[in-house]
Amino acid sequence: MKKVLHILFFFLITNQLLAQKSELANSYFKKGEFSKAVTFYEEFYKEKPFAQINYPRLITCYQELKSYQKAEKVIKERIEKYSQYQCYV
């Protein structure tokens, strides 16, 4: 029983930390602090590249920071990996 409670507690804490990171990233993004937001979105994109919000926000951060080569690389990888030709540019 204790093991189950420990595992449940671990998942609750982990989920809470991820939610806080997401809120912080969104806050930076909305404020236009793209250099801070991009680090979070890069991490989120590596963990969940299929998530709807991570990809466009990562590309937007790269564009705002004038990191066009990084944006191009992510777009090309997504086209190749998911065969999506309607990628956000």
Side-chain angles (χ1 to χ4, degrees):
M1 183 68 177
K2 283 187 176 182
K3 287 183 181 181
V4 172
L5 289 175
H6 287 310
I7 292 171
L8 181 62
F9 182 73
F10 173 76
F11 283 118
L12 289 173
I13 295 295
T14 304
N15 192 28
Q16 189 68 13
L17 290 174
L18 291 174
Q20 288 176 351
K21 281 181 154 182
S22 180
E23 287 178 29
L24 188 58
N26 291 333
S27 174
Y28 286 143
F29 187 86
K30 289 176 184 176
K31 291 178 184 176
E33 297 180 30
F34 299 106
S35 59
K36 293 179 182 178
V38 74
T39 57
F40 290 105
Y41 288 117
E42 286 174 336
E43 181 182 332
F44 298 155
Y45 186 71
K46 287 178 185 173
E47 292 174 5
K48 296 181 182 179
F50 47 84
Q52 293 287 332
I53 197 166
N54 299 335
Y55 172 71
R57 290 206 171 172
L58 177 61
I59 298 301
T60 300
C61 286
Y62 284 148
Q63 289 175 332
E64 292 295 327
L65 297 171
K66 296 182 177 27
S67 298
Y68 302 120
Q69 291 175 335
K70 288 183 180 180
E72 182 180 11
K73 180 182 175 189
V74 171
I75 292 168
K76 284 182 177 182
E77 286 174 355
R78 189 165 180 107
I79 289 171
E80 289 175 12
K81 188 171 185 178
Y82 299 108
S83 298
Q84 290 182 325
Y85 294 101
Q86 298 174 338
C87 287
Y88 182 79
V89 180

